[in-house]
Amino acid sequence: MQEPAPQHGHNRLDFIQALRGLAAFGVVLFHAKIVMPTAGQAALFEWGAAGVDLFFVVSGFIMVHATARSDGSLRYALEFLSKRLARIWPVYMIWMVLYIVTVERVPHVWSSLARSAVFYPSALRPPPMFGGTPNSVGWTINYEVWFYVLFAISLVAKRWRWLTFASLVAAFTIVIPLVLTGDVHTAAGQEYRLPTAILRLAANPMTWDFAAGVAIGLIYRSRFHLRHDGVLKVFVILAVTVEVWCLGTGFRAGYGPAAWGTPIIVMVLALALWDKQHPIAVPRWLIWLGDVSFSLYLLHRIPLLVGYFHLPSPLPGGFPYLFAVIVVSLLLAELSARYLERGLSEWVRVRLVRGVHRLTA
């Protein structure tokens, strides 16, 4: 979600852009359930929160693609972190402050903003949010940046980078919890009694979504193929069907590999294997939705809640209001992607990379 859009066309990850767009749109629908007049209508959008797991798997996949030319140097690793932070931080903080100004006006919000600015969880519990952020979607960005840190460390291991990455993930999600608490679990909502919030975040199984995305990315770039088209087609159909079935029924609903994560991982793997042999033709509108997905993800709660709190009844309710929120959010996301993601973030990226070059000269 937070990465620059890959090139489009034959075999250029259009299907990943589509998944990013669908993930963001699902999260929009999940938050919009509050405007539905009945519990039954609100329940139609519960599945949208699964977009978080999909985002994380896709992010791991994209990092493999984006760092394929890594030379294993410290400069490259620092450039990688600089580019990721430039991509995320300016847009994230601008929409966070705008959310506070327009929606969230409680006394503790500025201290929470300070923690959000450095991607530090605001509380020890409950998992996997660990206190969240003023704009509630921000808790996922904390995980994203933690993943970038682990990934950057692995980059300097050169030919041992994937073993290093796997070892880091295993150390934080298995070894440390086992040593300090005597327990290891796969449920993102289950709590480890670890001493700091950042350590609890690092130990949370949500990180396995990223690791699974990395594994799928490596398979996609490898020589491995499911050469029998019939077997591959059955795999894709079954993976997508099971995913839709699980989301539609609410089976094992929740974040992480013990819940939504595993069927999503299998579906992304199936689509990746299919795209590798038969590039998926993705409609331009869906690619565009992927292009603006990060901004859409960050800002959609502003038009949703501003109207919900301030418009006279019955305007902020039901499907007509949901439609209006989607339209406004998409328009704002296009402007944000154009002027903040491709404008301000690029300006910050250039200067951070220059600083890395001076530091490592």
Side-chain angles (χ1 to χ4, degrees):
M1 170 183 60
Q2 286 78 10
E3 292 313 300
Q7 291 178 300
H8 306 308
H10 179 74
N11 202 24
R12 295 187 185 272
L13 305 187
D14 283 356
F15 83 102
I16 286 293
Q17 279 297 89
L19 291 177
R20 283 204 298 196
L22 292 173
F25 195 71
V27 173
V28 172
L29 294 179
F30 172 72
H31 287 138
K33 68 180 182 177
I34 65 170
V35 306
M36 293 295 107
T38 68
Q41 290 175 346
L44 293 174
F45 304 125
E46 289 287 347
W47 60 268
V52 171
D53 285 273
L54 181 54
F55 274 138
F56 287 0
V57 176
V58 164
S59 184
F61 183 102
I62 291 175
M63 287 303 95
V64 175
H65 183 78
T67 60
R69 297 182 180 179
S70 171
D71 59 8
S73 66
L74 177 62
R75 170 179 284 193
Y76 188 96
L78 292 175
E79 280 187 10
F80 167 81
L81 276 179
S82 297
K83 291 175 181 178
R84 301 289 74 77
L85 290 176
R87 175 68 173 157
I88 291 176
W89 196 86
V91 186
Y92 174 56
M93 292 308 299
I94 285 173
W95 286 112
M96 184 78 76
V97 171
L98 287 174
Y99 179 87
I100 291 172
V101 171
T102 58
V103 178
E104 187 78 63
R105 301 184 182 182
V106 294
H108 70 275
V109 74
W110 294 109
S111 62
S112 180
L113 176 65
R115 287 174 174 260
S116 300
V118 294
F119 310 107
Y120 195 91
S122 61
L124 287 172
R125 57 186 307 274
M129 289 83 167
F130 299 108
T133 59
N135 184 355
S136 65
V137 299
W139 68 272
T140 64
I141 308 300
N142 294 340
Y143 281 96
E144 189 84 21
V145 172
W146 173 247
F147 165 64
Y148 292 159
V149 171
L150 295 183
F151 207 81
I153 293 171
S154 72
L155 287 174
V156 298
K158 299 184 179 180
R159 65 174 181 168
W160 302 105
R161 61 179 291 198
W162 302 120
L163 178 59
T164 301
F165 176 75
S167 298
L168 287 170
V169 172
F172 282 103
T173 61
I174 299 175
V175 177
I176 292 176
L178 189 60
V179 170
L180 296 184
T181 71
D183 183 30
V184 174
H185 57 251
T186 60
Q190 190 171 336
E191 189 171 357
Y192 284 125
R193 295 287 182 176
L194 295 170
T196 65
I198 191 64
L199 195 55
R200 294 189 184 196
L201 180 146
N204 193 276
M206 291 295 289
T207 306
W208 293 357
D209 284 345
F210 292 110
V214 168
I216 297 170
L218 290 173
I219 293 171
Y220 186 83
R221 296 186 64 86
S222 73
R223 296 181 180 180
F224 176 80
H225 289 270
L226 272 179
R227 298 191 181 278
H228 195 293
D229 272 4
V231 173
L232 182 56
K233 187 177 295 184
V234 169
F235 181 34
V236 172
I237 292 172
L238 285 177
V240 174
T241 300
V242 169
E243 172 62 14
V244 173
W245 189 10
C246 288
L247 293 180
T249 60
F251 177 71
R252 296 182 71 87
Y255 298 114
W260 284 316
T262 295
I264 285 173
I265 290 165
V266 174
M267 181 189 70
V268 174
L269 173 61
L271 292 174
L273 290 174
W274 181 267
D275 185 77
K276 190 173 182 178
Q277 293 183 214
H278 308 282
I280 300 170
V282 179
R284 285 296 309 174
W285 67 267
L286 198 49
I287 295 173
W288 172 82
L289 187 63
D291 290 343
V292 303
S293 60
F294 183 41
S295 288
L296 178 64
Y297 184 74
L298 293 178
L299 68 82
H300 69 272
R301 281 172 54 81
I302 296 178
L304 172 68
L305 295 179
V306 168
Y308 184 70
F309 290 139
H310 298 293
L311 287 176
S313 181
L315 287 178
F319 288 99
Y321 182 66
L322 172 61
F323 177 76
V325 167
I326 290 172
V327 171
V328 172
S329 296
L330 290 173
L331 290 174
L332 289 175
E334 167 64 21
L335 293 174
S336 176
R338 180 176 301 181
Y339 296 109
L340 297 181
E341 294 186 55
R342 295 192 290 272
L344 176 62
S345 289
E346 177 63 17
W347 183 87
V348 174
R349 184 195 68 82
V350 169
R351 280 147 184 81
L352 287 180
V353 169
R354 285 177 184 171
V356 168
H357 287 181
R358 286 195 295 267
L359 182 65
T360 57

